[in-house]
């Protein structure tokens, strides 16, 4: 080996060693300064409330300040794109609902893809459910289906928007069952909530735990759920049938996921995952979940990564088959 080759080889080894040392050092010291969590929605909504509760819990277990930045616009795309292009050092993260993010990509071409992120894990999960005002007289999904068959084209399903996860669940119910029902897209969850409370639609599709208080009083009935209600803080409805149990082979839920930009060192992702799991288990965060409606649970990185890709595939299939 010539002197020049030996020098180049040695320099290469030194560069690799320094890179590895820097990566390990960054993970060992993480976090050493303020963490910013982008919530791509306005303050005051469900995802924002979860994000702030998680941020407080993460601050408690990490010993560092954790700040929530609300960067909304374009149905969550503005804030999501900002994080996709942020420095991949573990200090700029995003918390978003997987259903909200995947529905956006199912309906539109977004300036990012699932591969632009690393999925730290899920910090809060709640199903999407099918609700009805008590005055409609539906005690079960079977009652709703019976009414739809008796009155073709007259029975209505309200959803919170024409291009989101709620629309996809409504379209899946209509398409898979073959029921001749009309889907009415409202401008958002708030307007759909008003429509349900005002008995203006036969049923409505919305993310739990919205209207849980009214479910407890008996004003609103839960007819079906996109995923099991085993962790809901109201035992009488924990056995409400899922769509799969009603022979509608699909699932809908909204898991709030912590994500980092692609390229974030896995050592930092693993450290953040350990901290996030501890944050979810804190008394404060568990108390928040009890008040909010569902007992929080932690979904680890590998499981959440697989779930994200499987959900997007399901959403794309539903849109292609049942939404023109």
């Amino acid at each position: 080996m010539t002197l020049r080759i030996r020098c180049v080889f040695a320099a290469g080894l030194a560069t690799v060693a320094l890179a590895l040392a820097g990566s390990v050092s960054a993970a060992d010291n993480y976090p050493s300064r303020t963490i910013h969590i982008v919530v791509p929605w306005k303050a005051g909504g469900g995802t924002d409330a979860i994000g702030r509760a998680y941020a407080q819990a993460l601050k408690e277990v990490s010993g560092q300040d954790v700040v929530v930045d609300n960067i909304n616009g374009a149905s969550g795309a503005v804030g999501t794109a900002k994080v996709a292009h942020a420095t991949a050092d573990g200090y700029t993260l995003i918390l978003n609902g997987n259903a909200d993010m995947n529905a956006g990509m199912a309906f539109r071409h977004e300036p990012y893809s699932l591969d632009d992120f690393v999925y730290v894990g899920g910090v809060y999960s709640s199903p999407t459910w099918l609700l009805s005002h008590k005055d409609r007289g539906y005690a079960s999904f079977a009652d709703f289906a019976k009414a739809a068959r008796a009155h073709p084209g007259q029975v209505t399903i309200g959803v919170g928007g024409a291009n989101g996860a709620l629309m996809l669940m409504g379209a899946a119910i209509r398409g898979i069952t073959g029921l001749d029902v009309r889907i009415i897209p409202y401008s958002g969850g708030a307007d759909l909530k008003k429509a349900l409370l005002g008995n203006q639609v036969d049923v409505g599709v919305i993310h739990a735990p919205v209207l849980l208080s009214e479910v407890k009083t008996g004003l609103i009935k839960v007819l079906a759920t996109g995923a099991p209600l085993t962790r809901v803080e109201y035992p009488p409805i924990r056995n409400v049938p899922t769509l799969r149990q009603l022979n509608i082979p699909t699932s809908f839920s909204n898991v709030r996921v912590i994500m980092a930009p692609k390229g974030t060192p896995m050592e930092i992702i693993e450290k953040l995952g350990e901290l996030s799991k501890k944050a979810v288990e804190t008394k404060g965060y568990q108390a928040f979940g009890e008040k909010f409606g569902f007992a929080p649970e932690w979904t680890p990185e590998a499981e959440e990564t697989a779930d994200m890709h499987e959900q997007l595939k399901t959403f794309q299939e539903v849109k292609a088959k049942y939404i023109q």
Side-chain angles (χ1 to χ4, degrees), residues 46 50 124-129 131 193 206-216 229 232-233 237 254 256 288-294:
I50 293 167
Y124 197 91
S125 177
S126 60
T128 308
W129 54 13
L131 306 178
K193 180 179 177 180
I206 201 163
H207 294 314
V210 176
L211 291 170
L212 178 57
S213 296
E214 289 75 13
V215 169
K216 292 179 178 180
L229 289 171
V232 70
E233 296 291 347
I237 62 172
N254 202 21
R256 270 56 174 216
F288 160 79
E290 181 177 353
K291 183 177 180 181
F292 197 69
F294 283 82

Side-chain angles (χ1 to χ4, degrees), residues 7-324:
C7 290
V8 171
F9 183 69
L13 288 177
T15 301
V16 172
L18 285 171
L20 290 174
S23 176
V24 173
S25 175
D28 287 345
N29 295 330
Y30 180 85
S32 59
R33 54 187 171 85
T34 300
I35 298 173
H36 286 262
I37 299 176
V38 170
V39 172
W41 307 98
K42 292 181 180 179
T47 298
D48 177 64
I50 293 167
R52 292 179 185 279
Y54 165 77
Q56 181 60 38
L58 184 60
K59 176 182 178 180
E60 177 183 334
V61 300
S62 70
Q64 292 294 333
D65 287 337
V66 182
V67 177
V68 172
D69 300 322
N70 296 94
I71 304 177
N72 64 290
S75 298
V78 174
T80 306
K82 182 177 178 64
V83 176
H85 297 99
T87 302
D89 58 6
Y91 290 97
T92 301
L93 310 171
I94 183 168
L95 183 146
N96 199 8
N98 62 356
D100 297 320
M101 183 170 167
N102 279 327
M105 289 186 287
F107 278 99
R108 301 177 297 275
H109 176 72
E110 302 286 26
Y112 48 80
S113 72
L114 290 183
D115 294 334
D116 289 322
F117 299 90
V118 183
Y119 302 91
V120 177
V123 299
Y124 197 91
S125 177
S126 60
T128 308
W129 54 13
L130 187 73
L131 306 178
S132 182
H133 194 284
K134 69 177 182 62
D135 290 347
R136 291 283 166 173
Y138 303 146
S140 66
F141 182 85
D143 291 340
F144 159 71
K146 181 179 179 181
R149 294 188 182 98
H151 306 283
Q154 298 181 39
V155 173
T156 55
I157 299 178
V159 298
N163 301 306
L166 307 182
M167 178 65 172
L168 288 166
M169 179 164 155
I173 291 172
R174 180 177 66 180
I176 294 171
T177 62
L179 295 174
D180 184 3
V181 296
R182 291 188 296 120
I183 295 179
I184 301 177
Y186 287 83
S187 61
D191 286 343
L192 174 58
K193 180 179 177 180
K194 291 178 183 178
L196 281 164
L197 290 172
N199 195 21
Q200 297 169 9
V201 290
D202 286 275
V203 297
V205 178
I206 201 163
H207 294 314
V210 176
L211 291 170
L212 178 57
S213 296
E214 289 75 13
V215 169
K216 292 179 178 180
T217 65
L219 180 66
I220 297 293
K221 301 290 185 181
V222 185
L223 305 185
T225 176
L229 289 171
T230 51
R231 300 181 71 87
V232 70
E233 296 291 347
Y234 185 53
I237 62 172
R238 288 178 181 169
N239 292 323
V240 168
T242 64
L243 294 179
R244 292 188 183 279
Q245 291 171 329
L246 293 167
N247 296 317
I248 303 172
T250 189
S251 299
F252 285 85
S253 63
N254 202 21
V255 181
R256 270 56 174 216
V257 184
I258 294 294
M259 297 167 273
K262 177 183 177 181
T264 303
M266 281 309 299
E267 294 89 349
I268 289 180
I269 296 298
E270 290 170 1
K271 182 72 174 292
L272 183 56
E274 293 170 2
L275 290 171
S276 294
K277 184 176 185 297
K278 291 179 181 178
V280 169
E281 294 170 350
T282 60
K283 290 183 179 180
Y285 192 72
Q286 290 293 317
F288 160 79
E290 181 177 353
K291 183 177 180 181
F292 197 69
F294 283 82
E297 60 181 335
W298 167 249
T299 308
E301 176 266 330
E303 182 179 342
E304 193 53 55
T305 300
D307 287 348
M308 286 290 294
H309 286 82
E310 183 62 30
Q311 185 187 61
L312 178 58
K313 179 181 177 183
T314 296
F315 282 8
Q316 290 170 332
E317 290 175 350
V318 169
K319 182 181 181 297
K321 289 181 180 179
Y322 305 122
I323 299 178
Q324 303 300 320

